[in-house]
Amino acid sequence: MIKDYKVEITENRFISGITWLLKFKNKEIAEKAKPAHFVMVRPTSEHQYDPMMRRAFAIADVVDDEIWIYYDVYGRGTKTLTEKKVGDEIEVLAPLGKNLFPENFDYYLLVGGGIGFAGLSYLMKKLREKNKPFKAIYGVRRKEQLSMLDWIKENDFENNVIIYTEDGSYGKKGLVTRDLKELALENENTAIFTCGPHGMMKAVDKIAKEIKVPCYASLESKMACGFGICIGCVIKDVEKDSYVRVCYEGPVFDTYKIEL
Amino acid sequence: MEKIVKPLEDSLSYELFGIKFKNPVWTASGCFSYGLEVAENLYDISKLGAVVVKGLSYKPRTGNPPQRIVETPAGMLNSIGLQNPGIEYFSKNILPKLRNYDTVIIANVFGEDEEEYLKVGEFLDKTDGVHALELNVSCPNVKKGGIAFGSDPETLYNLVYKLKQITNKPLLVKLSPNVTDITQTAQACVEAKADGLVLINTLLGMAIDVNKEQPILATKTGGLSGPAILPVAVRMIYQVFEKYGSSIPIVGVGGITTAEDALQHFLAGAVAVQIGTANFYDPYSPLKVIEGLEEHLNKKGYKHILEIVGKAHKLKIT
């Protein structure tokens, strides 16, 4: 069941670039949360309507009873969220998303771009817990956009993550797709899981199809509700030739079945 | 008022169109899908007075391409384009599940032309489990039908009149606010013997991306809803109640999040209210409104919600 929780903020601070980290404690959400689940956070208090809509964020990590959300500050909603202080109460609708990452592969290649890496980070933890082999690609334009670098180090994932920067200021120089083909063909029964900017996911999907490797994308979209009732956050399902809801039929989709 | 609605024992319940409503709080079409997402994931929808399901056409409709929604000051624009699986799929696959809940089910009906409207009406007239029909003649997001039927009183009269001939179920008409004088389209519905009026659908609007220098929605324009439109809805309900309040029940919709918002609709003349956009940002809003209405009646010493319907009209400002 989905619930609207009133939670207390335990941390809300600037990380780097335009990225902030929000943490709050809630035992129920922590117990229910699975990789690819997301939450809808109301940036304002009850009866304040501007900004009005909740914002969808991926659950980036769960540490004991604490939920970690990395968010980029783009507009009025996220700007308002930065003004929240430790101890402030916020409304969080959770856990959301019906279709999560499949687990029937032998090797997982995760490809995250920018803040999209936060849509894959909790999966990394769970894959390690289950002893499933994986590698993660983390790509950004410039070094200061590597907002989850500390998280990677703190969680000893340095050997699992290959970092790419477009300007070469950290890690390998280039796009996440630079070595994707080779990496995806290294192991048998590999699947690519991707989350990030639309253009990046399209490029990843194109390569996956070229080399006939399964590819799943965890999508985001402009959504009003997050639980299937507004029909606003749709994507084209090419098999059914109809629009399906990112929040309810997703957020994870087999890219072979959708029009990215 | 008691001529058209009969109060029952509970302070929020009554009989309207021969249907018993446990309370006057409904969910609005297009803002609650077909009810099952909430019923299966969030709360027991039997607590609601009624569920007005998302607009249904005879044939399935894929709807508009994304981007379909955008936030605006204290509101949002949507351009979903009446995506729906068609009445046959609805009646076979969705309605049987929805009927498990003890609430009134109202089908919002839509057609691209008169023929489709009549086919949908005829089909749903024979569909068990649908208690009433809400005629959608005011959707601003489809190229054909929709608003074209809702802005011209004569066209509207003809459509309502013909639908009344083919259905015995109560027929409510959801009116468009995108007209110069809403009492004219209301009058057409009264004359065509509609059973109720629903005021208001969304207001036509546009939002522009200043960096891309183009409209944000794929269809350019969309329907404005949310708290921003509350005063427009209240004004239109007030105007229509003043003219036709004694002959036709009015259902208020537009900008309601709280009981206080809903009370404005009742005082202006609505006999029931629908919660729309608030379901998105405050999913328990309909339940909070029900609770808040009860509290208000107790606090003010009213025995029944019908005592306040249209009460604002007694205040004369000179």
Side-chain angles (χ1 to χ4, degrees):
Chain A
M1 289 293 276
I2 300 163
K3 250 166 100 173
D4 194 13
Y5 297 90
K6 278 198 169 138
V7 302
E8 212 178 274
I9 293 174
T10 48
E11 195 171 327
N12 188 25
R13 66 180 169 92
F14 172 74
I15 300 286
S16 65
I18 55 165
T19 308
W20 281 59
L21 172 61
L22 171 76
K23 295 182 191 175
F24 55 84
K25 272 192 179 169
N26 185 281
K27 200 168 186 283
E28 259 183 58
I29 303 175
E31 280 169 4
K32 288 186 203 169
K34 290 186 179 137
H37 266 147
F38 65 98
V39 298
M40 291 289 279
V41 176
R42 195 166 178 184
T44 50
S45 306
E46 207 178 351
H47 311 319
Q48 286 182 333
Y49 305 129
D50 197 29
M52 175 187 81
M53 267 150 60
R54 290 175 188 238
R55 266 57 180 175
F57 302 120
I59 294 175
D61 198 2
V62 179
V63 182
D64 298 324
D65 293 342
E66 200 172 51
I67 316 295
W68 292 34
I69 308 284
Y70 286 85
Y71 65 100
D72 276 354
V73 181
Y74 273 117
R76 293 189 307 139
T78 42
K79 177 79 186 31
T80 305
L81 199 54
T82 63
E83 289 156 13
K84 299 278 179 189
K85 304 273 180 277
V86 171
D88 284 356
E89 213 173 52
I90 46 166
E91 288 172 52
V92 177
L93 196 63
L96 302 170
K98 292 270 176 193
N99 196 46
L100 309 177
F101 291 114
E103 294 184 4
N104 52 330
F105 297 96
D106 295 327
Y107 194 87
Y108 299 85
L109 185 60
L110 281 39
V111 186
I115 197 71
F117 194 75
L120 300 167
S121 48
Y122 191 42
L123 175 67
M124 289 166 63
K125 266 196 161 176
K126 289 291 164 188
L127 288 173
R128 181 163 66 187
E129 266 175 40
K130 292 176 185 171
N131 283 319
K132 297 202 173 185
F134 71 93
K135 196 140 250 158
I137 294 173
Y138 183 14
V140 293
R141 287 207 173 105
R142 296 175 297 278
K143 186 187 165 188
E144 63 266 28
Q145 293 171 328
L146 288 168
S147 47
M148 291 198 74
L149 200 56
D150 287 345
W151 181 88
I152 292 167
K153 288 175 183 167
E154 282 159 18
N155 287 282
D156 295 322
F157 277 125
E158 282 150 300
N159 294 330
N160 299 82
V161 182
I162 311 166
I163 292 171
Y164 292 84
T165 50
E166 282 180 43
D167 66 356
S169 52
Y170 195 96
K172 297 187 177 189
K173 188 179 180 190
L175 301 169
V176 292
T177 44
R178 200 186 90 171
D179 309 310
L180 186 59
K181 240 180 234 178
E182 295 73 29
L183 288 164
L185 291 169
E186 256 176 22
N187 297 281
E188 290 289 307
N189 196 21
T190 295
I192 296 172
F193 291 172
T194 185
C195 185
H198 185 244
M200 184 208 82
M201 289 194 292
K202 262 187 109 139
V204 169
D205 168 56
K206 195 173 166 229
I207 291 173
K209 283 173 181 161
E210 267 171 42
I211 56 174
K212 297 187 171 60
V213 168
C215 183
Y216 292 83
S218 184
L219 302 183
E220 67 162 2
S221 173
K222 292 277 176 204
M223 53 180 75
C225 67
F227 53 98
I229 61 168
C230 79
I231 337 280
C233 62
V234 294
I235 184 140
K236 194 69 169 275
D237 182 319
V238 287
E239 266 193 351
K240 295 178 190 157
D241 192 28
S242 66
Y243 287 114
V244 292
R245 297 162 290 189
V246 168
C247 72
Y248 212 69
E249 277 80 32
V252 176
F253 291 92
D254 179 343
T255 63
Y256 286 70
K257 295 178 180 170
I258 53 161
E259 195 179 282
L260 264 177
Chain B
M1 185 49 62
E2 289 197 16
K3 277 188 286 181
I4 48 178
V5 50
K6 190 178 129 201
L8 297 173
E9 204 178 324
D10 186 84
S11 64
L12 291 182
S13 69
Y14 51 64
E15 201 178 303
L16 178 67
F17 327 117
I19 302 165
K20 281 180 185 169
F21 289 87
K22 63 179 74 167
N23 65 63
V25 180
W26 311 357
T27 51
S29 179
C31 300
F32 209 63
S33 186
Y34 299 95
L36 297 177
E37 291 85 353
V38 168
E40 290 165 7
N41 297 293
L42 271 154
Y43 64 80
D44 181 8
I45 60 168
S46 303
K47 291 175 181 169
L48 299 168
V51 170
V52 187
V53 301
K54 182 161 171 53
L56 291 162
S57 47
Y58 192 76
K59 288 184 201 147
R61 287 178 61 93
T62 48
N64 292 334
Q67 186 172 344
R68 289 180 168 187
I69 53 169
V70 59
E71 182 166 2
T72 55
M76 64 180 278
L77 290 168
N78 88 80
S79 178
I80 309 298
L82 286 165
Q83 175 175 342
N84 81 91
I87 37 172
E88 209 176 313
Y89 183 92
F90 167 76
S91 67
K92 275 187 191 158
N93 302 293
I94 299 171
L95 187 59
K97 291 181 198 161
L98 193 53
R99 288 183 72 181
N100 292 329
Y101 300 92
D102 178 25
T103 187
V104 174
I105 299 164
I106 299 171
N108 181 285
V109 300
F110 167 81
E112 279 192 1
D113 48 33
E114 189 183 283
E115 196 192 341
E116 190 180 5
Y117 270 112
L118 296 177
K119 271 161 88 177
V120 180
E122 208 173 351
F123 185 97
L124 291 171
D125 183 59
K126 296 182 197 115
T127 308
D128 286 343
V130 171
H131 298 92
L133 309 183
E134 180 185 82
L135 187 60
N136 183 354
V137 284
S138 45
C139 180
N141 298 324
V142 287
K143 284 180 191 146
K144 293 183 196 164
I147 204 161
F149 285 90
S151 50
D152 174 40
E154 204 180 316
T155 315
L156 183 60
Y157 172 88
N158 285 328
L159 181 65
V160 175
Y161 183 83
K162 283 179 185 166
L163 268 163
K164 277 300 290 176
Q165 308 302 307
I166 59 162
T167 181
N168 291 316
K169 288 185 180 171
L171 180 69
L172 288 80
V173 186
K174 190 168 184 178
L175 295 181
S176 170
N178 303 304
V179 290
T180 312
D181 180 3
I182 197 161
T183 64
Q184 289 184 10
T185 43
Q187 186 184 344
C189 297
V190 172
E191 285 171 359
K193 302 278 189 288
D195 298 281
L197 297 173
V198 182
L199 275 68
I200 57 175
N201 208 320
T202 55
L203 288 111
L204 195 60
M206 181 188 276
I208 292 174
D209 184 319
V210 296
N211 290 315
K212 291 182 185 161
E213 300 176 340
Q214 62 187 41
I216 295 171
L217 296 176
T219 51
K220 296 178 185 169
T221 58
L224 178 67
S225 65
I229 73 164
L230 176 68
V232 181
V234 171
R235 184 263 295 180
M236 289 187 163
I237 294 162
Y238 191 98
Q239 282 179 316
V240 173
F241 184 85
E242 201 161 45
K243 277 197 163 177
Y244 305 107
S246 55
S247 50
I248 193 163
I250 299 166
V251 177
V253 55
I256 300 174
T257 306
T258 65
E260 202 178 317
D261 304 332
L263 284 163
Q264 289 200 51
H265 280 238
F266 286 111
L267 291 164
V271 73
V273 292
Q274 298 181 359
I275 313 292
T277 304
N279 289 298
F280 304 154
Y281 56 85
D282 190 358
Y284 304 133
S285 162
L287 307 183
K288 291 179 190 170
V289 170
I290 296 167
E291 212 180 292
L293 289 177
E294 274 168 351
E295 275 171 26
H296 180 82
L297 294 182
N298 284 337
K299 198 175 85 187
K300 290 280 224 176
Y302 291 113
K303 290 194 176 65
H304 202 278
I305 186 79
L306 294 177
E307 290 172 52
I308 66 162
V309 172
K311 209 168 179 202
H313 292 259
K314 288 174 188 157
L315 300 170
K316 299 274 183 218
I317 300 165
T318 51

